[in-house]
Each structure stands twice: as C-alpha cells, then as structure tokens.
Amino acid sequence: MKNIKNLLIIGIAGLLAVTSCSEDFLDRAPISQQNSNNFYRTAEDMKNALTAVYGSLQYGGQYYSSIHVIGDMRSDNTEITNPNAGADLQAVDDFTNVAVNSIGNNTWNANYQGIQAANIVIEKIQAVNMDQNLKTRYIGEAKFLRALMYFNMVRIFGDVPLVVTVINNPQQGYDYGRESVANVYSQIISDLTDAEESLPFTYGAADIGRATKGAAMALLGKVHLTLKNYPEAAQKLKELIDASGQTNYQILPQYASIFGAANQNNAESIFEVQFKSSSSGEGSPFTNQFAPIGSGRAVVSIGNPLGQNIPTADMSNAYEENDLRKDVSMRTSYVLNGNTVNHNYVVKYSGTPAANLDSDNNWIVLRYADVLLMYAEALNEQGYVADGPAFDYLNQIRNRAGLPSKTSTNADPNLSVPNQVAFRLAVEQERRVELAFEGHRWFDLIRTDRALDLLSAKGMQPHMSIFPIPQSQIDINPTKISQNPNY
C-alpha cells in the first residue's frame, strides 16, 4: 500500500505508480508512465486508469483498515482490549484521537488519492477515441467510486475540499479549501445520478465486481437517508427493490452464505471491495486483524493475530436468543493448548490466509439486506403505519435470522412495536446485528442522532460526531484549511 505524505492531493507521478486492484475483472497492469498527457490514448489505457480507482479502495486509509476502525471501533460494536493493538486505534476507540492521529491522516490521504484517480478517468477519457458505450460506462464507474469516497469523507470530517478536476502538479492542491457539507453532498448526488444512468444492472462473468446501476441506486438511497430526505430515499430504494428481476438481488436463505471467500459477489451483495490473496499485496488483512492478540494459532492458522475490532460485551448481548447471525459473526471464546479462553472476536471474515495479512475475503460495502432495512427506516420516518409495509421489510431480515416477526401489538413486549419511536429503535437494533462488523454502526448512530446518547459514557462529546482535520493538512495550507471546532 502506497503511503501519501504531506499533500492535500498527491502529485500525478505518484498516482500513476499505484498498483492495480484484484479480481478477474481487473487487469493487474499498473500505469507507470510519468507523462499523463501522453499516456491516456486508448481504451486499454483508460481501463488501466479505472483499475487504479478501484485499487484505491484497498488502501489502509479506506477499506483495508480505516472503515472498520471508524465504522465499528468508534461505536459500541467493537473495541481495543489490548493496548498492543495500536495506540492510534485505541485513541479512536476511546474518543481521545487528536489531529496528529495516523488513522485520520491515512483516511484523508487515501481517499484523496482515489478521488484524483477518478478525476483522471473522467477528464482524460473525453479525448480518447473508443467505443462510446464503453466510455460512458467507464465514466459512470469512476463517478460512482468518487461519490463513495466523498460520502465517506464528508461523513468522517464534515466540510472537505471538493476536487472534481485533475490536479496536474502539487502546487494546484493549495488552491482548495474546505467546501461546505451541503456542496459536497450535492456533488455526490450528481455523481450517483449520472452513474445510475450510465451503468448496467449486471455484467458478464469477466466483469463481476464492477460498480453497477444497482450499486449507484443503493448508495444514492443511503445518501438521501443520511440527509434525512426520507421521501427521496424511499423512492430510490423502492425503485431498486422493484428492479429485483433485472438485478437478481435477493436475501439469501442462509446468513452464513453471504460471507467468506467462497461466497464473494453473491446475489445478496451489491458492491464489494475486491481482494485476492497471493497477488503481490492484493490480499485482505481482516482474518489476522480481528484475531485476538495472544490467541496463537487457535483463531488464525497463518500470520499474526492483531487484536483489532474486538466485539464488546454489549455487542455480544445485543443478539436475541436463537439469532442465527451471532455464530456467523462472532465468537466468545477459543481453545488454546487445551484451555478455553473467554475472549470475543469477529469470525465473519475468517479464512486461511496465504500469508500474514493476505486473505481472499472481500469487504462488502452494500448489500440487499441493508437496502431493505433502509427502506423500512425511510417509510417509518415518513409516518408510522401499524403492521404496514415497513414491518414486512424489517421482518424479512428477522425471519431469515430465525427470529419471530415484530408486530404493532404483541403479547411479548420484546416483539411489540407500537409507535414510530419504537419502530425506529427496532430498525436500529436490526441493523446493528444484521450488519455487525461491516463498518456501518458509527455512521448509523450519527445519521440517526443517537451517537451521543449511546457513546457519551465511552468518552464522546458533542463535537466528536466528526473527526479532527489532520494537522498535516492545516500545516501545509493554513490559509485554506482550518480545524473542526473544539479539536
């Protein structure tokens, strides 16, 4: 993974040295030419450039590490139980992270490197003589990926620089200050709208894993939900649900069939970050990252157990009795040298790495269960309807997990959802256990204004709903980049 140092936007030469992302749909041919204006001439050149955009999702500051650190460890789902797992990780967990924390810095740099790569595709492809339909699709893919990265950035940092053209030299990066959240979201919505119009619902086998029309629709629905645009969110998510005949999306009968290298890019998955082991740094680290420190070979047979993303006791207790998802998602003990060690750990990404930090497991960014739960939430926010359609979508997810349906009135108080507030909490609970350890919990709590209520005991203060701007960015460009309040 290439580290980006001390610049808002990486210089073009550095970007062109990025290695490509894995899986069958991507050629593993890095762009190495220094002169970008002379390089982007053919459809194959643009395919390689698009490869670099997908590849950026694998960076440590994106889905290799930052998303689970911020999305789960920052929340009440997981924690650092051993200080040896990393001081900067523990600071994010404990709400003591400051502007010089490496997690924030890596997240900022990795996303802007990916955004630069997307901008290159969108801009340079215009002059390339190639099939128009393929050109339109490549632009749509790049816009989806740019929107995804900006969505993560604006949720993590708030106001961020909005860069939608190619930075041809480092000096140009100094021209960009922080743009308002509203303007960043406007660009995200524009990109996703264009992507939806440009992308197909499905691909042939050689292109499985690319961004699709369904991915753009799902992410656009999530963006509107985040902005509390509930009618727009419901409309877009329902369009996607109604298009199931074209998309082939479905709730798999068995929760366990969603996860693991053998199940990647399945019918429930809408968009995944692709990883591949034994491919020169293209493997995923999660099997090793999530194994408890000191577990030896009891949890992961190859490589080092790093003790990150350890499920909290509260997370373990969040599962209802007989919930089939718990054993698929986490364990509460392991056996080492004949002795039982009581220790929570994530198993959703278990596998046998080819080497340390080198597994085949993909990271699922969007899946159909998320869409159904978001739709149920959007319906309820527009008005509670006793045992209405929102209940149907909520209960589809519960029933797959082996749990009874919730109803507006029920003799069992744990299954009774009598009003809008109760339904809101029911969706929150279902999202927590359904999407556990997939990087959603922190963002869900921020979106629903529930984070401070649940996390103040952990150290959260009101200003901590967004992260501090990396100090390196302020030091480089102090007239344009300022710190978030109270950091």
Side-chain angles (χ1 to χ4, degrees), residues 103-315:
I103 305 303
N105 195 58
N106 292 342
T107 300
W108 183 283
N109 287 332
N111 278 278
Y112 275 113
Q113 183 172 2
I115 289 164
Q116 165 81 337
N119 290 340
I120 286 173
V121 173
I122 295 164
E123 182 173 308
K124 301 297 184 182
I125 202 171
Q126 303 298 332
V128 175
N129 184 17
M130 59 184 290
D131 178 81
Q132 186 59 46
N133 290 333
L134 185 60
K135 178 184 287 190
T136 299
R137 197 194 85 193
Y138 280 3
I139 294 171
E141 290 179 66
K143 285 189 174 183
F144 168 83
L145 295 168
R146 182 170 71 180
L148 175 62
M149 288 181 273
Y150 267 125
F151 184 47
N152 287 335
M153 286 292 287
V154 75
R155 292 187 297 171
I156 293 168
F157 295 107
D159 296 353
V160 292
L162 183 59
V163 186
V164 293
T165 59
V166 175
I167 302 298
N168 290 299
N169 62 74
Q171 188 62 36
Q172 287 180 275
Y174 295 101
D175 295 337
Y176 292 91
R178 297 176 68 188
E179 196 70 44
S180 70
V181 165
N183 286 346
V184 177
Y185 270 113
S186 179
Q187 183 64 49
I188 291 168
I189 291 170
S190 176
D191 277 352
L192 291 175
T193 301
D194 290 349
E196 179 186 347
E197 294 174 354
S198 304
L199 298 176
F201 273 123
T202 59
Y203 291 99
D207 285 319
I208 296 298
R210 289 186 179 275
T212 63
K213 182 186 293 289
M217 295 171 74
L219 187 56
L220 186 52
K222 180 164 284 194
V223 168
H224 281 304
L225 194 67
T226 300
L227 293 173
K228 296 180 170 57
N229 298 333
Y230 299 119
E232 293 89 343
Q235 178 182 342
K236 187 55 60 179
L237 295 167
K238 187 60 163 60
E239 287 176 11
L240 181 55
I241 292 167
D242 289 345
S244 58
Q246 298 170 267
T247 65
N248 300 317
Y249 298 141
Q250 60 178 283
I251 298 298
L252 297 184
Q254 303 295 325
Y255 187 74
S257 299
I258 303 169
F259 309 102
N263 299 318
Q264 58 194 16
N265 302 308
N266 57 70
E268 186 164 331
S269 177
I270 297 175
F271 184 73
E272 302 184 9
V273 178
Q274 310 291 315
F275 290 95
K276 188 173 181 61
S277 64
S278 304
S279 300
S280 302
E282 303 291 330
S284 62
F286 315 122
T287 301
N288 293 108
Q289 283 179 335
F290 302 162
I293 290 176
S295 60
R297 293 289 177 260
V299 175
V300 58
S301 59
I302 295 174
N304 300 320
L306 299 181
Q308 301 175 16
N309 227 30
I310 300 301
T312 62
D314 186 66
M315 178 73 244

Side-chain angles (χ1 to χ4, degrees), residues 39-154:
F39 181 81
Y40 301 102
R41 294 181 178 274
T42 69
E44 189 65 20
D45 295 339
M46 297 317 306
K47 181 179 180 181
N48 286 338
L50 185 57
T51 290
V53 192
Y54 281 101
S56 70
L57 300 180
Q58 296 178 333
Y59 294 167
Q62 293 207 52
Y63 288 91
Y64 189 93
S65 183
S66 281
I67 286 297
H68 76 74
V69 173
I70 297 170
D72 279 306
M73 202 180 300
R74 183 73 158 184
S75 76
D76 50 359
N77 273 11
T78 65
E79 61 186 342
I80 292 290
T81 58
N82 190 320
N84 293 325
D88 282 359
L89 298 174
Q90 191 163 45
V92 173
D93 178 22
D94 295 340
F95 290 93
T96 58
N97 58 303
V98 293
V100 294
N101 184 286
S102 65
I103 305 303
N105 195 58
N106 292 342
T107 300
W108 183 283
N109 287 332
N111 278 278
Y112 275 113
Q113 183 172 2
I115 289 164
Q116 165 81 337
N119 290 340
I120 286 173
V121 173
I122 295 164
E123 182 173 308
K124 301 297 184 182
I125 202 171
Q126 303 298 332
V128 175
N129 184 17
M130 59 184 290
D131 178 81
Q132 186 59 46
N133 290 333
L134 185 60
K135 178 184 287 190
T136 299
R137 197 194 85 193
Y138 280 3
I139 294 171
E141 290 179 66
K143 285 189 174 183
F144 168 83
L145 295 168
R146 182 170 71 180
L148 175 62
M149 288 181 273
Y150 267 125
F151 184 47
N152 287 335
M153 286 292 287
V154 75

